């Protein structure tokens, strides 16, 4: 298309150019084009000839950023701004100065008459989303525009041209159309779906239901939207559903709920409704969409299963109750016809469902325990022969494997000629009675065969049972003792014990391993260990006591023998130590005597040798003296200084400690004293010290501590705590429990396994307590600590044992 | 003839040295195995008389260390302790003789 003609430079033209410059002001593209345009070649003529109204309109047009086009004069010459150039497409910039007919030839049929109308009537038009098929990019195109053709009057009062504000709405129109299409498609799809679908808006009200829903309820969309649909929800479910919906809606959470919805048939059916919030592409919340399934059948089936289960449980319960109640059943056997009849109680007694007994002899025989069957059959024969009533007991094995005892009682009836024609009888379930009987028999057997005397008595101490071992132990027969007071057996000085025992039993307490003395019929005092438990009746009331008395004379003897053994072993160990201690000075003396004999003429040297020899002999004498005092029988307690006692022992073991590279740390309170049996305390300490030394094979530190202390067990008691700690290998956790048991040793080659047992015995005899702490692994070691009260009750623990003169003898044996 | 006497009991070691000197031996006393081993290089003994049970190195350990330095040296171990029989049995199994009993060896030097 032709470009704007090139201007020639001449003064007239220059004036024209200046006018154009001022009229088409600004730096927009169209202003530039208009300035350079050769208007004189158009029907409009040179700019200087333009009417004011045209000039004004063009100024407004260029200044606007809204798409504006002017069609001027009867030829509708086209003038437009930058914003409009986009609507023109490839027609820009050619369109400037063209007639509208040329510019918009493809739509002239549409807009030409409109323009003519404006020109002739002077009235503006308004077109909204008007379809115009343009060819602005070389191909036909469906475009939509909203525009207004406005008349512009010239000075003469006539309409000089048309001012057009226009906006292209193609995008908006097509978008709306696409949306409509997709919504339509969606509806088609949702209507076809077997799922019932609803939509709600942000006002929570439903605004759409698909066909499936409407078909289900048999109503129209108009009836359902808003809150209409709720009319068909089961009244019992309505509040719950509404609450679920509103709560979820406010939190924009998905929800799931089950409710009954009235079907168009009038039946309420169970619906599973699943709702999720909907959001637009920009994230704006738009409401909810929901899908519902008809789950009525599944729901019904689940309910039926539940009811069936319940019914089954109920019937089982009934059966169980019936069986419990079925204590007596009756049966009848018609020998002539061979028929047997059982009452339902009979069937229950044999573990059968009522009505399932088939009337056969085998059905009964199958249930009877094979061991009991012959005896029962024998009784049956007897009944048939004699016609007298008979009875038998047998076990019945139920189908579930449980065993029940049945007592049968029956009689045969005979006809005139003496032939049995009928047997009738009853069965009684005696399981409970049998079980009680068995338990009693078993208990009685145990009691009779027990190696311990088992005696029972009432709360007044009157003996109610007396087993055979009690007879052997105490010499009294059952006939002699039942009905007599238990005090018969108790030494007079211990009668108060019985009050203590009875008060404990009344309080429901047990007494375990109470060591005391009882008197036999012969007058002999017997050391016994008693275990006494309360006996309760069925209501749980205490009605008496069961007492087990064990003869502990033998074990006492063994115990004292063990103590002697350990004493001998300790003596042996001591002897070995002493021998070694004596050996060195002895050797020195031997050498000195040899030297003295050799150097006889040299009196100075001999004198020196003899002086040394005397010193060595003094050393021997010291060791001997100490040793002699060591295991002297201290039958009476003395006040002893514990630091001194330990020092004497450590002196004895000095050589051994040195040889083993054991450092001794003494932490003494040198004033600490207790009243105790010196020999025994020494033995206890010696055991701990030698154990510690044996634990430190490759050297270490032995800490010996003496401190005044106070214990709070059984009230505050003042005393002394002695601790012997080593850095040896430690005691393995599994050994710690057995540490104080007799014959427990980890040194089977040198130890008797009695040392710690003896030590604890000695400590407890003095009213003290021994404890051990030990650690293996990293930084191992063991610490034994002994607490001794200041006034050690240097007497056995059991006062009642001490009361026996014989016992006193054996006690002394144990501590010698 | 040169003798080293080892005994942790000084009076025993000293009297032994006195006796040996009187018999014409050149003798010195040490109180433990470690110092005996140190003396071996300087003194070069023909004989070492050592107690068996001592703190630190025992007699057998001492003897073994000395023989390593001085294979020609003769060793006499003595002990008065019953527990040392185990050590002697061990020494015997290693080729040492253990025929001498405490206090019996002195006449050997007459």
């Amino acid at each position: 298309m032709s470009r704007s003609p090139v201007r020639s430079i001449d003064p007239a033209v220059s004036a024209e150019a200046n006018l154009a410059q001022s009229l088409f002001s600004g730096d927009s593209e169209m202003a530039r084009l208009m300035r350079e345009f050769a208007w004189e070649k158009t029907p409009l003529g040179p700019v200087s000839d333009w009417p004011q109204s045209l000039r004004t309109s063009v100024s407004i047009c260029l200044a606007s950023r809204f798409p504006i086009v002017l069609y001027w004069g009867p030829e509708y010459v086209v003038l437009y701004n930058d914003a409009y150039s986009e609507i023109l497409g490839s027609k820009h910039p050619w369109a400037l100065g063209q007639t509208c007919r040329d510019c918009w030839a493809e739509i002239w049929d549409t807009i030409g008459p409109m323009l003519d109308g404006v020109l002739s009537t002077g009235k503006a038009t308004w077109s909204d989303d008007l379809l115009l098929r343009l060819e602005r990019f070389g191909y036909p195109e469906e475009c939509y525009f909203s525009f207004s053709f406005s008349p512009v009057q010239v000075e003469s009062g006539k309409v000089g041209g048309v001012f057009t504000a226009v906006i292209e709405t193609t995008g908006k129109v097509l978008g709306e159309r696409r949306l409509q299409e997709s919504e339509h498609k969606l509806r088609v799809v949702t209507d076809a779906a077997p799922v019932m679908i609803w939509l709600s808006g942000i006002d929570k009200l439903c605004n759409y239901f698909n066909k499936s829903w409407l078909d289900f309820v048999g109503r129209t969309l108009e009836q359902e939207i808003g809150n209409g649909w709720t009319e068909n929800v089961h009244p019992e479910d309505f509040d719950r559903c509404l609450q679920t919906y509103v709560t979820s809606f406010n939190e924009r959470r998905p929800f799931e709920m089950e409710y009954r919805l009235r079907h168009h048939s009038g039946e309420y059916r169970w619906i599973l409704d699943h709702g999720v919030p909907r959001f637009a592409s920009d994230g704006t919340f738009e409401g909810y969409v929901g899908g519902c399934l008809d789950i009525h059948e599944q729901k019904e089936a689940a309910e039926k299963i539940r009811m069936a289960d319940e019914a089954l449980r109920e019937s089982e319960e009934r059966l169980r109750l019936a069986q419990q109640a079925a204590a007596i059943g009756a049966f009848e056997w018609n020998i002539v016809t061979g028929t047997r009849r059982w009452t339902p109680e009979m069937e229950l007694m044999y573990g059968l469902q009522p009505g399932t007994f088939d009337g056969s002899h085998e059905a009964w025989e199958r249930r009877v325990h094979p061991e009991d069957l012959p005896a029962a059959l024998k009784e049956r024969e007897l009944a048939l022969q004699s016609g007298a009533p008979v009875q038998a007991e047998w076990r019945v094995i139920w189908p579930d494997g449980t065993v029940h005892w049945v007592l049968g009682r029956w009689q045969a009836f005979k006809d005139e000629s003496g032939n049995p024609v009928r047997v009738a009888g009853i069965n009684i379930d005696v399981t409970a009675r049998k079980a009680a009987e068995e338990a009693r028999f078993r208990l009685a057997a145990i009691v009779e065969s027990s190696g311990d005397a088992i005696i029972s008595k009432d709360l007044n101490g009157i003996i109610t049972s007396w087993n055979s071992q009690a007879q052997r132990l105490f010499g009294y027969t059952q006939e002699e003792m039942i009905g007599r007071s238990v005090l018969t057996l108790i030494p007079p000085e211990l009668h108060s014990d019985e009050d203590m025992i009875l008060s404990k039993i009344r309080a429901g307490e047990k007494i375990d391993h109470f060591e005391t003395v009882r008197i036999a019929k012969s007058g002999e005092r017997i050391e016994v260990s008693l275990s006494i438990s309360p006996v309760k009746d069925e209501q749980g009331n205490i009605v008496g006591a069961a007492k087990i008395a064990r003869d502990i004379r033998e074990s006492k003897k063994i115990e004292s023998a063990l103590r002697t053994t350990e004493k001998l072993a300790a003596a042996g160990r001591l002897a070995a130590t002493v021998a070694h201690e004596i050996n060195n000075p002895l050797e020195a003396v031997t050498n000195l005597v040899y030297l003295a004999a050799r150097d006889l003429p040299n009196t100075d040297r001999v004198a020196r040798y003899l002086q040394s020899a005397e010193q060595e002999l003094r050393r021997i004498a010291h060791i001997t003296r100490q040793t002699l005092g060591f295991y002297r029988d201290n039958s009476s307690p003395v006040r002893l200084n514990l630091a001194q006692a330990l020092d004497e022992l450590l002196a004895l073991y000095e050589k051994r400690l040195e040889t083993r590279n054991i450092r001794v740390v003494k932490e003494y309170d040198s004033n600490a004293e207790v009243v105790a049996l010196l020999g025994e305390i020494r033995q206890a300490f010696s055991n701990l010290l030698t154990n510690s030394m044996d634990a430190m094979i490759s050297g270490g530190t032995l800490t010996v501590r003496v401190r005044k202390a106070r214990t709070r067990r059984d009230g505050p008691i003042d005393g002394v705590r002695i601790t012997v700690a080593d850095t040896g290998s430690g005691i393995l956790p599994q050994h710690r429990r057995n540490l104080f048991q007799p014959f427990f040793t980890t040194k089977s080659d040198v130890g008797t396994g009695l040392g710690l047992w003896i030590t604890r015995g000695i400590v407890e005899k003095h009213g003290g307590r021994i404890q051990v702490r030990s650690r293996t692994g990293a930084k191992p070691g063991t610490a034994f600590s002994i607490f001794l009260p200041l006034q050690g009750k240097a007497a056995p623990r059991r006062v009642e044992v001490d009361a026996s003169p014989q016992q006193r003898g054996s006690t002394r044996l144990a501590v010698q | 003839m040169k003798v080293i006497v080892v005994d942790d009991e000084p009076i025993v070691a000293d009297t032994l040295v006195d006796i040996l000197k009187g018999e014409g031996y050149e003798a010195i006393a040490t109180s433990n195995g470690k110092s005996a081993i140190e003396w071996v290089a300087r003194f070069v003994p023909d004989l070492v008389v050592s107690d068996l049970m001592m703190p630190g190195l025992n007699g057998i350990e001492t003897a073994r260390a000395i023989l390593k330095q001085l294979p020609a040296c003769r060793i006499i171990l003595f002990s008065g302790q019953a527990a040392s029989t185990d050590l002697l049995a061990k020494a015997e199994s290693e080729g040492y003789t253990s025929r001498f009993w405490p206090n019996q060896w002195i006449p050997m030097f007459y």
Side-chain angles (χ1 to χ4, degrees):
Chain A
M1 271 284 110
S2 71
R3 291 277 147 191
S4 51
V6 178
R7 287 171 194 280
S8 56
I9 303 159
D10 98 35
V13 173
S14 176
E16 181 72 19
N18 286 340
L19 186 63
Q21 193 74 41
S22 65
L23 183 59
F24 309 124
S25 62
D27 51 5
S28 70
E29 188 197 2
M30 289 316 295
R32 187 175 51 76
L33 288 172
M34 283 185 189
R35 281 197 296 272
E36 291 166 1
F37 201 83
W39 293 109
E40 60 276 8
K41 305 264 178 69
T42 69
L44 295 181
V47 177
S48 49
D49 292 351
W50 288 10
Q52 187 56 45
S53 53
L54 173 56
R55 292 182 186 184
T56 308
S57 298
V58 169
S59 301
I60 294 168
C61 171
L62 286 175
S64 174
R65 294 183 62 186
F66 195 84
I68 290 171
V69 60
L70 278 170
Y71 301 115
W72 200 263
E75 300 84 7
Y76 304 115
V77 175
V78 176
L79 298 102
Y80 59 94
N81 64 0
D82 283 10
Y84 188 78
S85 65
E86 286 171 20
I87 293 173
L88 285 166
S90 60
K91 291 176 198 273
H92 167 79
W94 162 79
L96 185 64
Q98 299 296 322
T99 64
C100 184
R101 179 193 285 268
D102 288 345
C103 180
W104 291 120
E106 67 267 35
I107 55 167
W108 184 249
D109 288 350
T110 309
I111 64 171
M114 290 170 77
L115 287 168
D116 290 344
V118 173
L119 213 59
S120 59
T121 64
K123 280 186 181 158
T125 66
W126 170 249
S127 301
D128 200 10
D129 295 338
L130 184 69
L131 170 64
L132 296 169
R133 294 178 206 281
L134 303 184
E135 280 190 50
R136 49 184 174 174
F137 295 107
Y139 54 86
E141 196 186 346
E142 203 171 271
C143 301
Y144 294 85
F145 295 93
S146 290
F147 60 91
S148 169
F149 287 147
S150 313
V152 179
Q153 290 181 340
V154 291
E155 288 72 12
S156 63
K158 289 166 78 176
V159 177
V162 178
F163 185 94
T164 312
V166 59
I167 186 158
E168 181 164 1
T169 57
T170 310
K172 187 192 105 189
V173 172
L174 291 184
E176 276 175 3
R177 189 189 294 168
R178 273 198 293 274
L179 193 65
Q180 275 170 6
E181 277 170 8
S182 75
E183 250 180 40
H184 176 71
K185 276 185 206 150
L186 181 71
R187 269 165 212 228
V188 169
V189 170
T190 59
D191 282 350
V195 182
M196 302 190 286
I197 294 170
W198 53 264
L199 290 176
S200 65
I202 54 170
D203 54 1
K204 298 194 178 85
L205 296 177
C206 288
N207 51 31
Y208 171 74
F209 292 90
N210 75 344
K211 194 164 173 297
S212 293
W213 178 287
L214 298 175
D215 287 351
F216 183 94
V217 293
R219 281 152 62 100
T220 65
L221 182 59
E222 288 67 35
Q223 285 176 300
E224 289 297 271
I225 57 175
N227 281 324
W229 66 279
T230 58
E231 291 163 17
N232 285 317
V233 174
H234 196 288
E236 285 174 17
D237 301 335
F238 180 77
D239 287 343
R240 178 172 53 82
C241 288
L242 189 66
Q243 187 169 356
T244 304
Y245 178 63
V246 170
T247 312
S248 305
F249 197 102
N250 291 339
E251 295 170 10
R252 308 283 189 261
R253 274 192 298 106
F255 64 84
E256 203 171 74
M257 58 193 187
E258 288 178 7
Y259 54 90
R260 280 161 289 179
L261 187 67
R262 190 161 53 203
H263 191 250
H264 62 79
S265 65
E267 175 198 17
Y268 278 105
R269 294 182 68 82
W270 279 98
I271 300 292
L272 171 68
D273 191 339
H274 184 80
V276 290
R278 303 186 280 133
F279 296 95
S281 53
D282 61 357
T284 319
F285 173 67
E286 292 188 321
Y288 267 66
V289 57
C292 311
L293 282 173
D294 181 341
I295 54 163
H296 197 70
E297 269 70 38
Q298 293 95 302
K299 194 88 175 165
E300 291 271 88
E303 180 66 10
K304 274 181 192 142
I305 289 168
R306 198 185 61 75
M307 281 166 63
D309 275 354
E310 210 160 84
L312 188 65
R313 266 200 301 283
E314 269 176 24
S315 78
E316 279 173 356
E317 182 70 5
R318 265 202 302 277
L319 185 64
R320 205 176 56 75
L321 288 171
Q323 282 170 341
Q324 280 179 347
I328 300 178
F331 68 94
E332 190 187 41
W333 175 25
N334 188 323
I335 299 169
V336 180
T337 63
T339 54
R340 288 180 178 78
R341 286 198 308 109
W342 280 16
T343 61
E345 291 81 9
M346 277 287 287
E347 294 177 308
L348 291 171
M349 217 176 285
Y350 283 79
L352 298 171
Q353 290 282 342
T356 59
F357 175 63
D358 62 5
S360 69
H361 175 68
E362 291 71 30
W364 170 78
E365 215 172 75
R366 262 203 306 278
R367 293 280 184 230
V368 176
H369 195 292
E371 287 176 14
D372 304 336
L373 189 59
L377 291 176
K378 204 176 133 203
E379 289 299 321
R380 189 179 72 156
E381 283 311 309
L382 193 68
L384 290 174
Q385 283 163 21
S386 70
V390 295
Q391 73 170 43
E393 284 180 353
W394 56 83
R395 281 165 288 177
V396 169
I397 301 166
W398 282 19
D400 63 7
T402 55
V403 176
H404 301 257
W405 276 97
V406 168
L407 166 70
R409 235 177 254 197
W410 67 98
Q411 191 171 6
F413 298 93
K414 299 181 177 182
D415 62 8
E416 296 78 16
S417 52
N419 294 320
V421 290
R422 196 170 70 90
V423 175
I426 54 159
N427 276 188
I428 304 172
D429 188 327
V430 292
T431 309
R433 196 199 77 202
K434 273 285 182 183
E437 263 176 29
E438 250 174 56
R440 251 199 312 278
F441 285 143
R442 204 176 301 135
L443 192 65
I446 291 168
V447 168
E448 262 326 286
S449 64
S450 170
D452 295 326
I454 300 175
I455 302 159
S456 59
K457 60 184 178 188
D458 64 18
L459 287 177
N460 298 315
I462 302 302
I463 290 168
T464 53
S465 83
W466 186 259
N467 77 340
S468 52
Q469 185 59 28
Q471 179 171 347
R472 271 195 290 279
L473 183 61
F474 298 112
Y476 296 102
T477 64
Q478 196 175 324
E479 292 70 33
E480 283 175 296
M481 284 313 285
I482 290 180
R484 269 173 87 173
S485 169
V486 76
L487 288 174
T488 314
L489 301 170
I490 301 176
E493 70 273 18
L494 295 179
H495 275 188
S496 59
D497 274 9
E498 184 59 16
D499 298 336
M500 181 273 287
I501 292 168
L502 286 175
S503 70
K504 276 201 163 188
I505 290 298
R506 281 191 198 101
E509 286 177 47
K510 279 171 67 180
I511 296 166
D512 276 328
H513 306 299
F514 174 61
E515 287 184 15
T516 185
V517 175
R518 291 291 178 261
I519 297 177
K521 192 179 182 183
S522 65
E524 187 190 353
R525 282 169 178 261
I526 302 166
E527 290 157 42
V528 289
S529 165
L530 299 181
S531 291
I532 308 168
S533 316
V535 170
K536 294 175 185 177
D537 66 7
E538 277 157 26
Q539 281 77 46
N541 303 315
I542 295 158
V543 293
K547 177 188 283 194
I548 299 174
R550 175 167 294 176
D551 183 354
I552 56 168
R553 282 173 297 182
E554 260 323 286
S555 60
K556 280 274 177 190
K557 271 181 208 156
I558 291 165
E559 205 173 284
S560 72
L562 284 180
R563 286 181 202 279
T564 312
T565 307
E566 168 57 14
K567 294 203 77 78
L568 290 173
R573 285 197 295 275
L574 184 74
T577 308
V578 168
H580 178 72
E581 295 301 318
I582 290 174
N583 205 49
N584 277 331
L586 215 50
E587 204 172 308
V589 170
T590 310
N591 291 351
L592 290 164
V593 169
Y594 170 83
L595 287 167
R598 191 191 68 184
D599 296 342
L600 258 182
N602 187 337
T603 48
D604 281 355
R605 279 172 81 174
V606 171
R608 223 167 42 240
Y609 289 143
L610 290 177
Q611 244 167 31
S612 290
E614 196 189 347
Q615 247 171 42
E616 291 304 301
L617 287 170
R618 229 179 263 134
R619 215 168 117 194
I620 295 171
H622 176 71
I623 292 164
T624 316
R625 206 166 39 245
Q626 242 183 12
T627 317
L628 280 179
F630 222 72
Y631 280 77
R632 212 170 42 214
D633 179 13
N634 305 108
S635 51
S636 55
V638 294
R639 176 168 289 276
L640 71 92
N641 181 298
L642 292 158
Q644 199 184 316
L646 281 162
D647 262 350
E648 282 168 12
L649 277 167
L650 287 168
L652 189 63
Y653 294 121
E654 199 178 346
K655 184 76 186 176
R656 205 195 305 186
L657 290 162
E658 205 180 296
T659 310
R660 300 211 176 187
N661 286 319
I662 296 167
R663 193 168 71 94
V664 179
V665 175
K666 296 175 183 174
E667 295 174 10
Y668 290 158
D669 178 339
S670 49
N671 298 322
E673 288 182 340
V674 294
V675 174
L677 296 168
L678 179 61
E680 295 201 351
I681 293 296
R682 266 191 184 149
Q683 192 185 358
F685 289 172
S686 169
N687 283 336
L688 297 187
L689 290 174
T690 50
N691 276 348
S692 285
M693 283 187 270
D694 290 340
M696 292 186 282
I697 301 153
S698 48
T701 304
L702 175 67
T703 306
V704 186
R705 190 178 300 131
V706 177
R707 289 256 184 286
K708 284 181 183 146
R710 170 178 282 202
T711 178
R712 306 214 166 273
R713 285 164 56 88
D714 315 322
I717 298 169
D718 287 320
V720 178
R721 184 170 298 285
I722 302 98
T723 307
V724 175
D726 63 60
T727 58
S729 46
I731 301 159
L732 293 172
Q734 63 265 36
H735 290 156
R736 281 174 208 160
R737 199 156 34 95
N738 299 321
L739 221 47
F740 295 102
Q741 298 301 313
F743 300 114
F744 179 80
T745 179
T746 57
K747 309 179 281 185
S748 49
D749 46 345
V750 290
T752 57
L754 296 169
L756 285 173
W757 176 66
I758 295 271
T759 302
R760 187 180 65 170
I762 291 168
V763 170
E764 288 182 351
K765 195 169 111 179
H766 284 81
R769 200 166 130 79
I770 182 164
Q771 286 167 296
V772 62
R773 275 176 299 135
S774 187
R775 188 163 55 186
T776 52
K779 296 193 83 180
T782 303
F784 280 91
S785 108
I786 291 176
F787 175 83
L788 290 175
L790 286 186
Q791 293 291 333
K793 42 163 189 170
R797 266 180 299 167
R798 305 280 181 210
V799 177
E800 60 274 22
V801 173
D802 195 39
S804 149
Q806 282 168 327
Q807 179 53 35
R808 181 156 282 159
S810 71
T811 305
R812 194 179 305 132
L813 185 69
V815 298
Q816 265 167 357
Chain B
M1 192 166 176
K2 293 196 278 190
V3 184
I4 295 179
V5 176
V6 197
D7 198 318
D8 58 318
E9 195 73 37
I11 186 145
V12 173
D14 289 345
T15 51
L16 259 179
V17 165
D18 250 2
I19 290 166
L20 289 170
K21 275 180 177 165
E23 299 298 325
Y25 294 97
E26 200 179 329
I28 57 169
T30 63
S31 64
N32 59 63
K34 194 165 165 269
S35 103
I37 293 160
E38 280 165 9
W39 273 103
V40 164
R42 272 185 279 172
F43 188 69
V44 196
D46 301 292
L47 177 69
V48 173
V49 178
S50 173
D51 190 5
L52 196 56
M53 303 289 278
M54 292 182 291
L57 293 177
N58 67 32
I60 288 169
E61 289 161 341
T62 307
R64 212 181 282 141
I66 289 170
L67 286 176
K68 222 171 167 184
Q69 280 186 51
L70 207 62
C73 186
R74 306 287 298 276
I75 314 277
I76 293 174
L77 297 176
F78 67 96
S79 172
Q81 248 188 310
S84 58
T85 49
D86 289 349
L87 277 175
L88 284 175
K90 198 174 166 228
E92 248 176 22
S93 75
E94 290 178 18
Y96 301 98
T97 49
S98 65
R99 264 170 303 205
F100 304 112
W101 290 95
N103 306 329
Q104 286 183 344
W105 61 274
I106 305 167
M108 300 285 294
F109 294 95
Y110 282 115

